[in-house]
Amino acid sequence: MLHLRVIAPVDRSTEVVDLLSAEAGVTHLAVLPGAARQPPGDLILCDVVRESADRVLRELRRIGVDTSGGIAADDVELTISAAADRAAEEAPGSGADAVVWDEIAAKTGEQTELSGTYLVLIVVATMIAGIGVLLDQPILIVGAMVVGPEFGPLAALCVALLRRQLGAIGRSVQALVVGFLAAMVATVLSTWALTAVGLVSREMLLAERPLTDFIWRPDALSWVVGLLAGVAGMLSLTSKKSGSLVGVLISVTTVPAAANVAVAAAYGAWDEAGGSALQLVINLAAIVLAGLLTLVVQQVWWWGLARRSRRPATG
């Protein structure tokens, strides 16, 4: 359930209240006339079940509340109310499967920024994976997967493609390209430094590495893993069921592949660098494709649900 705080101009307050009152998924409606000061207007509070939230937000934007007033939404962790239970029963669909598109757009929009924190995390993750590759240590590879932040821009790219937002597409691609390039350059330099002090060597790369050699040997399963990772990651985002294991799955052949490219390039093992680069490209493409298709399926599903319930479609 979401808690909405709506500031509506006085001349539109009645329309907003009528809209909310007519929605079966809205409950705990309260109106504080003239309470808002910036921008001025009436403060309207309500709770809305997640399966109705997207429709309510869409209608509020349709009547211009977002431009002449304001809308804020927060997750409600606990609600003890018979009225809330009735709202959940009457609203079509399941709250666990509901997609609030404005929430997803806001969440992923933050991930398109090429921030210092993002760059540090992806550099650190790739350097850890680079050491894991040389030592043939899956534990280090998994650690790098957990640290890797690249699913943020990947998810943002999927949402931007669905909504045809060219600016967000460009920012997402920039974050991915700059992030991976910076991470690989840093890993090349760290590999040279570790080699200079005698901690690693080229022989470690060329030796048999049965636990991690899949990273630079792409095959048909690379597409399968990437597609599954994209589906899992997008569902975790839209259903708010994210967790560290999802992060591991998403990074399974992105950060490690980038690290293997860098380490192989540092030692001049160009065949291995090329295989790792292909693995990286395959999995990035598969994750984006699967994530986009997952969003499309969810959108079509909710359109169909809206038609069956004889209510306006959302998306």
Side-chain angles (χ1 to χ4, degrees):
M1 179 167 283
L2 296 178
H3 178 66
L4 296 186
R5 300 186 304 279
V6 180
I7 295 178
V10 175
D11 59 343
R12 294 192 178 180
S13 179
T14 300
E15 184 179 6
V16 171
V17 172
D18 290 343
L19 184 158
L20 296 174
S21 299
E23 175 56 55
V26 171
T27 187
H28 305 152
L29 179 61
V31 181
L32 285 71
R37 293 292 181 267
Q38 181 58 39
D42 295 345
L43 177 61
I44 303 171
L45 308 174
C46 70
D47 292 333
V48 55
V49 295
R50 290 188 63 85
E51 48 267 51
S52 297
D54 192 64
R55 177 170 51 252
V56 168
L57 293 172
R58 182 188 180 94
E59 290 301 304
L60 288 174
R61 291 199 314 274
R62 182 184 60 79
I63 62 178
V65 175
D66 56 329
T67 57
S68 58
I71 307 169
D74 297 310
D75 279 312
V76 178
E77 298 296 335
L78 175 64
T79 301
I80 303 175
S81 166
D85 293 340
R86 285 193 299 271
E89 291 175 359
E90 294 177 8
S94 168
D97 298 328
V99 180
V100 184
W101 293 101
D102 286 316
E103 179 185 50
I104 301 304
K107 186 184 300 183
T108 57
E110 299 173 356
Q111 305 299 324
T112 63
E113 182 181 354
L114 190 61
S115 65
T117 300
Y118 168 79
L119 286 175
V120 170
L121 285 175
I122 196 167
V123 166
V124 168
T126 308
M127 291 172 66
I128 292 173
I131 297 173
V133 163
L134 290 172
L135 297 178
D136 195 32
Q137 282 292 335
I139 292 177
L140 294 178
I141 298 296
V142 171
M145 294 171 183
V146 175
V147 175
E150 73 283 3
F151 184 65
L154 286 170
L157 179 58
C158 294
V159 174
L161 287 170
L162 181 70
R163 294 193 157 196
R164 300 181 183 88
Q165 298 171 327
L166 296 181
I169 291 172
R171 291 191 298 273
S172 301
V173 171
Q174 180 187 45
L176 289 167
V177 172
V178 174
F180 275 113
L181 286 178
M184 286 189 285
V185 169
T187 303
V188 168
L189 296 176
S190 68
T191 301
W192 286 342
L194 292 173
T195 303
V197 298
L199 294 178
V200 297
S201 66
R202 190 172 189 273
E203 287 69 29
M204 296 172 67
L205 179 72
L206 300 180
E208 290 293 325
R209 291 180 286 130
L211 300 180
T212 58
D213 65 354
F214 71 93
I215 295 172
W216 63 277
R217 291 178 175 172
D219 53 24
L221 286 177
S222 300
W223 274 103
V224 174
V225 172
L227 291 170
L228 294 175
V231 172
M234 194 54 63
L235 286 177
S236 74
L237 178 68
T238 58
S239 66
K240 302 179 70 65
K241 295 183 181 297
S242 59
S244 59
L245 289 178
V246 173
V248 171
L249 179 61
I250 292 306
S251 300
V252 66
T253 41
T254 51
V255 164
N260 210 100
V261 171
V263 172
Y267 289 132
W270 300 113
D271 287 345
E272 187 164 332
S276 302
L278 180 59
Q279 181 79 276
L280 177 61
V281 171
I282 286 174
N283 282 274
L284 289 175
I287 288 171
V288 171
L289 176 61
L292 180 59
L293 290 177
T294 300
L295 290 175
V296 170
V297 170
Q298 288 179 301
Q299 187 178 63
V300 172
W301 168 265
W302 282 99
W303 277 345
L305 189 63
R307 285 196 298 269
R308 290 195 298 272
S309 63
R310 298 181 180 179
R311 288 177 177 149
T314 62

